[in-house]
Amino acid sequence: YCICKVLVQSSPVLHVLENAVRPLGPSVPGNPTLQVPHDFSQIMGEQLPKSLYYLMLNGIISYKLPQALAKGEWMDKSQPLVDTKEFRDLVTDLADYRERALGLIARHMHA
């Protein structure tokens, strides 16, 4: 329950006037101070460079790529109904493409 509450109340949002990505806003109405849990980065991952948020907002890259870098794992919730050789081959190929994409993003994050 607590993780769900934090995700709803502190979701990362682009604040256009300040040109910044930060949590949604105060979790207590009428209280101007932003109340974000101290372990927020364990739930959401570390904050990424602004250039990645720009690419995601414009639909150039999927949110799953930076999410995998921030969390340190690839979250794939869909599972097939039938396990076949073709599907296993697809998963293997997909893992190669994901590794390349993550490598390209990671290389530019440190440049």
Side-chain angles (χ1 to χ4, degrees):
Y1 167 77
C2 291
I3 290 176
C4 184
K5 181 179 175 183
V6 168
L7 292 174
V8 170
Q9 292 180 341
S10 302
S11 297
V13 174
L14 174 65
H15 294 265
V16 178
L17 296 176
E18 296 87 20
N19 193 24
V21 176
R22 59 178 194 271
L24 180 62
S27 58
V28 178
N31 186 356
T33 39
L34 187 61
Q35 297 178 355
V36 177
H38 68 280
D39 60 349
F40 185 69
S41 64
Q42 291 178 348
I43 297 169
M44 294 298 293
E46 297 298 325
Q47 185 172 5
L48 300 169
K50 291 180 182 182
S51 58
L52 281 179
Y53 290 109
Y54 174 82
L55 294 173
M56 285 188 296
L57 288 170
N58 286 300
I60 297 170
I61 62 171
S62 167
Y63 69 92
K64 289 185 177 186
L65 293 169
Q67 180 183 33
L69 289 173
K71 297 285 287 176
E73 62 183 347
W74 189 278
M75 299 297 291
D76 215 359
K77 297 178 182 175
S78 61
Q79 297 295 325
L81 297 176
V82 179
D83 187 19
T84 63
K85 181 189 179 319
E86 291 82 8
F87 180 76
R88 288 181 187 207
D89 291 343
L90 175 67
V91 169
T92 302
D93 292 343
L94 189 57
D96 292 338
Y97 293 130
R98 287 176 177 168
E99 286 176 20
R100 276 193 200 148
L102 289 171
L104 288 170
I105 290 175
R107 181 174 10 144
H108 291 288
M109 286 179 58
H110 300 294

